[in-house]
Amino acid sequence: MTSLPDPWHPLRALTAARIALGRSGSSLPTSAHLDFQLAHARARDAVHHPADLDVVAAALDAVSLDHVRLTSRCIDAAAYLKRPVLGRRLDDASRAAVPGVRREGEWDLSIVVADGLSGFAVERHAAALATALARRLGSEGWRIAPIAVVRHGRVAVGDEIGELFGASLVVVLLGERPGLSAPDSLGAYLTWAPRVGRTDAERNCVSNIRPEGLPIPAAADKLCWLLREARRRRGSGVALKDEAPAGPIVGPGHPMPGGTGPEQQPVADQARHC
């Protein structure tokens, strides 16, 4: 008896999702089971790996981007994981360190880099994306505040930093909660008129930023479009939809802005908790 080809098998080339794994009796094949255990271990390592923020700062120095090192109210990594609220505010020393708290409107954009839930993502992708944003928007005349590099920071810490700088917009770049196929995914969260107390419904998110997902050039294009529109419309979150013209898909896992490639996660109307 001739066995028919598995119709699911060709789909494995289009996604990192665990499909068409086969079976051994009533269980997964050993290789698939071991791959799952390895992916799970990598995700756990990403959460517990302390991001080397010196690497990020050195990369920013290399391209002559001003930055300031800050810390949230978390005293250590354990507090960061167990008490998320502490990661949403700066400690007293950091509040005092924000250089010359500017009057409202002096800066168009504050860029914040925080470790989030994947230190690997921050080390590998954050400086490059921050540089791309600063260069593209700076060439258009945007006034970019010194980049804030925050230890143990969560998304909402950008609200306080943007408010202290008096920036019209803030974008927070941080490691996303790892998945079983993406332990180094970077997320970018933007908020119009940042201030303490903003809600997730007032943010937009571009996620899965990494070479195997949304590459940095495409992510920078997407974020620049959203930032320009947020400034034009004077709002973000549910008030700002991703209406950028759709671009071509240049290959599996590498869509252009507006595309819907297999590895691209869409811009969220409301930011996910991170």
Side-chain angles (χ1 to χ4, degrees), residues 4-260:
L4 296 175
D6 185 349
W8 287 91
H9 188 74
L11 297 178
R12 295 191 64 185
L14 302 176
T15 178
R18 283 175 166 77
I19 63 172
L21 299 179
R23 66 182 182 180
S24 179
S26 60
S27 303
L28 286 173
T30 299
S31 60
H33 179 64
L34 292 176
D35 286 344
F36 178 88
Q37 289 184 312
L38 177 60
H40 187 259
R42 285 173 173 165
R44 288 175 60 88
D45 287 347
V47 171
H48 293 287
H49 173 71
D52 190 343
L53 297 183
D54 290 338
V55 169
V56 176
L60 296 175
D61 284 333
V63 292
S64 301
L65 286 178
D66 292 336
H67 57 88
V68 58
R69 298 286 291 270
L70 306 172
T71 306
S72 75
R73 293 181 179 179
C74 295
I75 60 174
D76 54 30
Y80 179 75
L81 293 175
K82 295 176 181 178
R83 302 187 62 189
V85 67
L86 296 179
R88 297 170 185 153
R89 297 295 300 274
L90 295 175
D91 63 14
D92 292 338
S94 292
R95 282 182 59 87
V98 174
V101 179
R102 306 298 202 265
R103 67 181 182 273
E104 183 179 356
E106 183 167 347
W107 300 107
D108 295 311
L109 176 65
S110 174
I111 300 174
V112 177
V113 175
D115 36 14
L117 292 173
S118 173
F120 295 130
V122 176
E123 291 174 7
R124 297 170 185 173
H125 315 311
L129 182 54
T131 299
L133 291 174
R135 284 179 170 172
R136 295 182 190 206
L137 295 173
S139 68
E140 298 175 13
W142 284 54
R143 296 160 295 181
I144 311 296
I147 296 173
V149 181
V150 186
R151 170 64 71 191
H152 300 320
R154 291 184 180 266
V155 172
V157 77
D159 298 336
E160 183 174 20
I161 293 169
E163 184 176 18
L164 289 172
F165 274 123
S168 300
L169 280 156
V170 66
V171 60
V172 181
L173 312 178
L174 79 175
E176 295 183 304
R177 182 180 296 107
L180 291 177
S181 62
D184 65 340
S185 178
L186 192 74
Y189 296 77
L190 67 94
T191 310
W192 167 258
R195 63 176 183 271
V196 174
R198 284 295 195 193
T199 69
D200 285 346
E202 296 171 295
R203 313 187 200 287
N204 294 81
C205 170
V206 176
S207 63
N208 198 28
I209 301 170
R210 59 193 184 102
E212 298 82 6
L214 185 65
I216 286 174
D221 287 342
K222 178 72 68 180
L223 284 166
C224 285
W225 187 92
L226 287 166
L227 289 165
R228 295 184 195 105
E229 283 298 297
R231 186 166 71 163
R232 184 178 71 85
R233 303 182 191 189
R234 304 181 66 81
S236 57
V238 296
L240 176 61
K241 304 296 184 183
D242 177 17
E243 299 168 343
I249 297 175
V250 297
H254 293 77
M256 295 296 288
T260 55

Side-chain angles (χ1 to χ4, degrees), residues 254-272:
H254 293 77
M256 295 296 288
T260 55
E263 296 297 327
Q264 180 180 355
Q265 297 179 14
V267 176
D269 293 327
Q270 298 185 22
R272 293 176 292 127

